[in-house]
Structures are given as structure tokens and as C-alpha cells.
Amino acid sequence: MAKDRSLNLSRQFRAALDALAAIATLGRPACVIGGLAVQRWGEPRFTQDADLTVFTPFGGETDVIDPLLARFEKRRPDARQHALTYRVLLLRAANGISLDISLAGTPFEEDVLARATTWRTIEGTDLITCSAEDLILYKLVAGRPGDIQDVIGVVRRQHARLDVGRVREFGALFAELKEDPSLLQPFEDALRRASGSRPT
């Protein structure tokens, strides 16, 4: 079943590969996050788009935004201004798949990119994705029901290999920033169930 679901994502994989190739010409580190990274670390599920993040220092946004706008179709008329304001560039790949490209500039985001690794998919394509720990952190911060289910799936599959300390360290920081003391709770609950014991 997992293989079938992965094969059904070929258009999303291709869109992500095209975006990574375009970003590589800019000399900027980038990786896949979101639903496609879930295929690597969690419970495979269908995703309609491709989410990526690319290193973009504050003040240097146009060096990334403008070349990518020249390469891909924009999904809204004000895509450039939207990216400058919210640091997310909304594009469309040649095969019609939506691309959400986050402009990474914080120390945490730089660290995410430094920790990213290559994944050889079932289809034989190589995608650079964020780590399982960083995917969990992104999902906890987003906090939607689907994101929490992704956290549970990643923990279920990866719990014995996870750097739990990293998730707790940055999870606590994001909980403080979001004023959400329960931000880490879904992770702790999933870890307890996956390990069959109290969290360490």
C-alpha cells in the first residue's frame, strides 16, 4: 500500500525536483518539507502540493524571489509582494503542482537546511528532505489536525531513532514564542505510545 501511495505522488516528486534544481542554480541550500517529507519519515499519505524551504537572508529576498518567478508560474498576481511580506513564495510547477517555497532566514531554519539529507524514493528519484525531528517541529508549530496526525505517524515509525532532545529543546522554544504551553503534548503522547513506556 505504501508503495502504491508513493507511486501516485510522481507529479509532486517531479515538481519538487524541478524546484530544487532551479534553486540549486542560485547556489542556495534548500530542502523539501511538508507532505512529501512525511512520505519519507511518517505514514505515507497523498499530498496535493510540494513544500520547500530555501536559505534566504533577511534583506536578500529578491535574489531568490525574482529568479524563481522568472522560472515558474505565480499562483497569485501579488506573489512577489506576498513573498516579501510573508516570506512564502507561491508558485506553480510546469506540471500544474502547487509549490510553496518558504524563505528560510532564522538560525533554526539554517540548522534545518544543514541537517537535511538525501532520500532515494521508491521511484528512484533523489529528494533532499528535512530531518524527521525538524519535520515534527514544523508540524507541531502548524498544529492543525492533519499535522498532528503526521506527528503521530513520524513518531510511530521513527521513535527509536529520533533525537528526542532536539524536539523537546526547540519545541519548548516554539511553545514559548506561540504562548502555547501544550505545543509539545502531541509529541510526548505519541512517544509514550510508541515506546510503550514513560517518556525519557
Side-chain angles (χ1 to χ4, degrees), residues 26 28 54-67 80 83-84 87 103-105:
L26 306 179
R28 302 297 180 91
V54 53
F55 179 64
T56 312
F58 291 93
E61 292 86 355
T62 57
D63 293 338
V64 170
I65 293 171
D66 289 344
R80 187 177 191 274
L84 288 170
R87 295 184 64 83
L103 309 183

Side-chain angles (χ1 to χ4, degrees), residues 103-115:
L103 309 183
T106 67
F108 169 74
E109 291 171 318
E110 288 188 67
D111 198 33
V112 167
L113 290 165
R115 288 165 46 84

Side-chain angles (χ1 to χ4, degrees), residues 136-190:
I136 288 171
L137 288 164
Y138 277 129
K139 294 292 185 176
L140 288 173
V141 170
R144 296 163 298 193
D147 295 308
I148 299 306
Q149 285 302 120
D150 287 337
V151 168
I152 294 169
V154 174
V155 173
R156 184 182 294 125
R157 283 190 58 199
Q158 308 296 334
H159 69 94
R161 295 175 288 274
L162 287 174
D163 182 348
V164 173
R166 178 177 176 80
V167 177
R168 287 175 174 163
E169 176 187 356
F170 284 98
L173 174 62
F174 293 135
E176 183 177 353
L177 290 173
K178 289 192 67 179
E179 299 182 344
D180 179 7
S182 65
L183 184 142
L184 268 169
Q185 196 60 52
F187 169 72
E188 299 292 357
D189 291 344

